[in-house]
Amino acid sequence: MLTLDTRPDLTGPDLSDLSKMDFTNGAIAAVSGGSDSTALLLLLKNHLDRTAPATRLLAVTIDHDLRPGSAAEARAVASFCAERGIAHCTLRWSGPKPSSGLPAAARQARYRLLAEAARSEGIDLILTGHTADDQAETVLMRHARDEGRGLAEMAGRGLAGMAPATLYDWQTWIVRPLLGARRAALREFLRRENVGWAEDPTNADAHFERPRVRAVLGEDDGQRFAEAIGLAKRVATEREELGQRAAMLIRDFAAMLTTGLIRLDPAFAASDDAPAAVYAMRILLAAVGGVSFLPDEARSQALFSRLRAGPLCATLSRTIVDARRAGIFLRREARGLPLAVPAGGEVFWDGRRRITLDDSSGALLIAPLGQAAAAKRDTAENGTPSSLARAARAAEPALWRGAECLGLAGESGVPTTVAVSPVVAPFACFLPSFDLAPAAAVSGLIGAPPVPALPFRGHSAGR
């Protein structure tokens, strides 16, 4: 990886992250026209020209349509790429923009459009130009919100900073190979190459949090930067280790009894590794409940303490926790389930299932199975309490024609063209490489598609 004091140079920098990456299916480079992404594009182009000249490289510029000059900047990137024989396309974030939370919304739109470009080209790898400066800014912003919290909660809230690799939508890897490079070094490299770059005025707009933090770092003598990077590395290591221990507990103590019903062995609550057990429980609660964020740390710790004290029935993150002598059972609560929706194309249902069915008749709907229909499909096995099995299945998606329930995928009477795939809810959209171990453990538990392999050869992107 580029180290903090490395001066990028086309002829001989340490680009070990690039050299270990698998570009078999090509690469998308996100290029805004700013200094960081422009430097990334040039370094990547040179690396591929030397090592894999047949590799498809597509530069993609996202026009967020937030400033009058954004379209002209995108055209300038297109011209820059044309001069160097690099394929390029511009995608525009069209439609109304939110009045609040604009940076987050823009980030979501940017990754969605980049992923769409990657899928349309059959490419599963996106590279971005995030730098060590971006990492320090991110950590300081999150640290300001997380002061006074415990390590496990800090890990869940992002003090590890940006991961070297993040899986988007469970299929496209977003890699940040310049996280070890300083922005000043990249700009010096561009000057030596006589390459200019665009300056986004919002980067200095004090109305937004990141520019304010950037200004503070710019006035610093380097101490805050070093502290932020050191904190990110420390928490990233702790987060990985915590996730690995949580994954081991999930594999050892959790079982899927029937669709939508997970049982934890009673010994789970007696684990000597309470931090890992609480973390594992938070991930499982989010997965069963279909929510994208882990439940609150303090409430989760309180629930775990109650589990150690004896039987209980509680609800957290849309998940019912029913602790009995036979085990700790987790299932989706019946409240707040989705209304009936047409069964056409792909449906992301309740944050827990991806359902694919092309119904040209328009007569079929996807809706919860419900208690009445579930009672006719009592499939409790291995001593599973029938009432729990029925309640869990009642919250599952079923195919309906009017008032007639055709059943769940795989049952007789249900079209064979319907496909239902479980989703690891807290990591369905973004899976940082820090969290690969617990994500893989939950994926195996619920029967979700396996986590795609990291786009690195002989390298752990989480470290």
Side-chain angles (χ1 to χ4, degrees):
M1 175 181 289
L2 286 169
T3 59
L4 296 184
D5 57 353
T6 296
R7 289 169 59 88
D9 188 322
L10 283 174
T11 60
D14 176 14
L15 294 175
S16 56
D17 268 6
L18 291 180
S19 65
K20 293 177 180 177
M21 290 176 61
D22 183 0
F23 294 105
T24 302
N25 294 324
I28 298 284
V31 185
S32 66
S35 59
D36 305 343
S37 61
T38 301
L40 168 70
L41 181 62
L42 290 180
L43 291 166
L44 177 60
K45 176 67 163 60
N46 180 264
H47 172 76
L48 293 177
D49 285 348
R50 289 186 292 104
T51 62
T55 299
R56 288 183 301 156
L57 173 60
L58 174 64
V60 177
T61 301
I62 306 301
D63 179 3
H64 295 89
D65 194 25
L66 297 174
R67 296 180 289 104
S70 62
E73 291 170 5
R75 288 193 296 270
V77 176
S79 298
F80 177 84
C81 291
E83 293 171 0
R84 287 158 178 79
I86 301 172
H88 175 270
C89 73
T90 297
L91 300 178
R92 188 167 176 261
W93 182 26
S94 57
K97 307 300 189 291
S99 56
S100 61
L102 184 59
R107 183 168 56 252
Q108 287 280 355
R110 180 163 61 252
Y111 285 130
R112 174 179 56 80
L113 291 170
L114 287 169
E116 289 175 0
R119 285 194 293 270
S120 68
E121 295 291 330
I123 295 174
D124 53 14
L125 178 61
I126 298 169
L127 286 82
T128 68
H130 292 103
T131 66
D133 297 78
D134 294 312
Q135 184 76 299
E137 294 159 9
T138 298
V139 171
L140 289 176
M141 289 162 56
R142 294 175 179 175
H143 184 261
R145 305 165 195 161
D146 287 319
E147 286 185 314
R149 302 182 187 272
L151 175 61
E153 187 171 10
M154 288 196 300
R157 290 177 176 269
L159 282 188
M162 293 178 285
T166 298
L167 185 64
Y168 179 81
D169 205 25
W170 210 257
Q171 57 184 322
T172 306
W173 282 106
I174 300 169
V175 179
R176 306 174 179 95
L178 300 182
L179 278 182
R182 295 300 305 266
R183 178 172 296 118
L186 294 173
R187 291 186 170 188
E188 177 59 25
F189 154 65
L190 291 177
R191 292 187 188 99
R192 294 202 309 269
E193 296 298 314
N194 295 315
V195 173
W197 61 86
E199 291 285 4
D200 184 345
T202 60
N203 287 334
D205 189 341
H207 289 93
F208 299 113
E209 182 182 17
R210 185 174 291 274
R212 293 197 299 270
V213 173
R214 184 169 298 168
V216 170
L217 281 174
E219 299 168 355
D220 186 36
D221 60 1
Q223 180 177 351
R224 290 190 183 183
F225 173 85
E227 290 174 349
I229 295 299
L231 176 63
K233 291 180 179 179
R234 184 169 67 253
V235 175
T237 298
E238 293 282 356
R239 177 166 163 175
E240 275 196 275
E241 293 175 350
L242 183 68
Q244 289 165 359
R245 286 159 26 218
M248 183 172 63
L249 292 175
I250 291 170
R251 290 192 296 267
D252 288 348
F253 294 113
M256 175 74 78
L257 300 180
T258 188
T259 304
L261 182 63
I262 289 176
R263 175 185 177 272
L264 292 171
D265 189 276
F268 175 82
S271 170
D272 293 334
D273 192 351
V278 171
Y279 194 47
M281 186 180 70
R282 295 173 71 197
I283 294 171
L284 289 172
L285 289 173
V288 173
V291 296
S292 57
F293 296 99
L294 301 188
D296 178 75
E297 169 78 4
R299 294 182 65 187
S300 300
Q301 288 179 340
L303 176 59
F304 185 72
S305 296
R306 292 175 60 195
L307 287 174
R308 288 188 159 185
L312 65 84
C313 189
T315 303
L316 184 58
S317 287
R318 307 198 312 186
T319 297
I320 292 179
V321 182
D322 191 338
R324 311 180 179 192
R325 285 195 301 175
I328 303 166
F329 299 90
L330 309 179
R331 61 181 174 85
R332 169 71 161 93
E333 67 172 332
R335 293 184 301 173
L337 290 168
L339 300 174
V341 295
E346 182 176 280
V347 176
F348 187 39
W349 194 85
D350 196 38
R352 298 182 291 137
R353 306 284 184 265
R354 292 192 190 277
I355 304 174
T356 304
L357 174 65
D358 292 322
D359 172 38
S360 58
S361 70
L364 301 180
L365 298 173
I366 298 172
L369 182 64
Q371 289 287 352
K376 302 176 182 179
R377 295 168 170 81
D378 193 346
T379 59
E381 299 176 354
N382 302 322
T384 305
S386 297
S387 60
L388 291 181
R390 288 195 299 270
R393 291 173 65 82
E396 289 299 303
L399 204 59
W400 294 76
R401 181 185 291 114
E404 177 190 7
C405 179
L406 302 181
L408 301 168
E411 294 183 337
S412 60
V414 176
T416 57
T417 53
V418 63
V420 180
S421 177
V423 170
V424 185
F427 305 122
C429 187
F430 292 101
L431 170 57
S433 51
F434 306 133
D435 302 319
L436 290 180
V442 176
S443 173
L445 173 67
I446 68 176
V451 179
L454 278 164
F456 296 87
R457 296 186 293 269
H459 177 67
S460 172
R463 289 299 177 99

